[in-house]
Amino acid sequence: MPGNSLSALYSRLLLTALLLPLAPCGFAQDMIERFGERPYTGRVDFKVAPPSGKPVTHYGRGSVLLERSAPGKAVLQLRGKVPDSTTQTELTIPGTYDDAGWRSEPDDVQMSIAADGRVSGGGVSDGRTFLFSGTFSPAEVRLEVRVTMAREEGGAPAGTTLTFDYRVKRESLEAQAGQDVEDGCRLVMRPIANFGGGMTMAQVPECD
């Protein structure tokens, strides 16, 4: 019966079409699985550009870690240090994630990681202007954090721009299995100051 067969086919297609919107997307989970839970480690360049004069660049090591803190929530941790010096940076940004990506909690400074890995955001906080750009992939992160100071800080004149250029990578789960130390970095528990204030305990990469 060709007519009945065609009618049954249409019925099955219609049922499938109705059920598709009800199926869980699962991309929110994939967001953390693809870009989170394991640290990216590698090179961080620190560039200091005063409003007049020659910029100076220091080369260091650091890490980027996007770690789940609760259902639908994850903390982004950025760390960097120049060996044998006091030059270092540490930034912890709490946020939320869903199928559209990850974004920082509402604050004067906003940052987001889209589902495809694109990084964007910025804002002004405590006299500092922030600008975020870059990309995440499962294997590497290219991230630039640019901070322009509205007033003198630490001997740097007002108008100085600090640029932190992260070029960090991570190996596959198979390659990392059983390894506590990689490229001079290891995971340790430490109290971390949140971007909006307060403290929390978190597992963070510590790099030599």
Side-chain angles (χ1 to χ4, degrees):
M1 300 289 291
N4 290 338
S5 298
L6 189 58
S7 176
L9 176 61
Y10 283 153
S11 296
R12 287 196 298 271
L13 290 174
L14 178 60
L15 179 60
T16 301
L18 290 173
L19 289 176
L20 279 175
L22 302 178
C25 176
F27 204 90
Q29 180 74 9
D30 293 345
M31 172 76 185
I32 302 301
E33 289 181 351
R34 291 167 62 209
F35 305 142
E37 305 298 13
R38 295 181 293 123
Y40 299 81
T41 61
R43 175 176 169 176
V44 182
D45 296 346
F46 297 74
K47 183 178 181 180
V48 182
S52 60
K54 185 179 180 180
V56 177
T57 301
H58 302 279
Y59 304 98
R61 295 193 58 78
S63 62
V64 174
L65 174 62
L66 181 63
E67 186 174 43
R68 194 189 335 266
S69 57
K73 294 186 176 183
V75 175
L76 179 65
Q77 301 168 16
L78 309 177
R79 294 168 62 86
K81 187 178 188 305
V82 176
D84 303 321
S85 80
T86 59
T87 301
Q88 61 183 354
T89 181
E90 184 175 307
L91 186 60
T92 299
I93 311 175
T96 60
Y97 67 91
D98 53 25
D99 57 352
W102 175 92
R103 54 200 163 276
S104 60
E105 292 181 352
D107 198 44
D108 294 335
V109 178
Q110 295 286 295
M111 180 181 179
S112 65
I113 306 171
D116 63 3
R118 287 177 298 168
V119 178
S120 61
V124 180
S125 176
D126 194 25
R128 304 183 187 99
T129 300
F130 290 79
L131 182 64
F132 303 97
S133 61
T135 56
F136 272 68
S137 79
E140 64 180 339
V141 169
R142 289 296 308 271
L143 175 64
E144 183 181 274
V145 181
R146 183 173 298 178
V147 185
T148 302
M149 301 183 299
R151 58 176 179 267
E152 180 182 355
E153 290 188 46
T160 296
T161 297
L162 310 176
T163 303
F164 308 98
D165 185 7
Y166 291 81
R167 306 179 188 185
V168 291
K169 299 181 180 181
R170 66 180 181 184
E171 294 184 354
S172 65
L173 283 171
E174 292 78 7
Q176 283 191 334
Q179 295 184 9
D180 294 325
V181 179
E182 179 186 348
D183 293 336
C185 297
R186 56 200 156 274
L187 292 175
V188 298
M189 290 297 295
R190 280 193 172 179
I192 296 298
N194 293 331
F195 194 59
M199 301 289 289
T200 186
M201 291 297 294
Q203 184 173 249
V204 302
E206 184 180 76
C207 300
D208 296 330

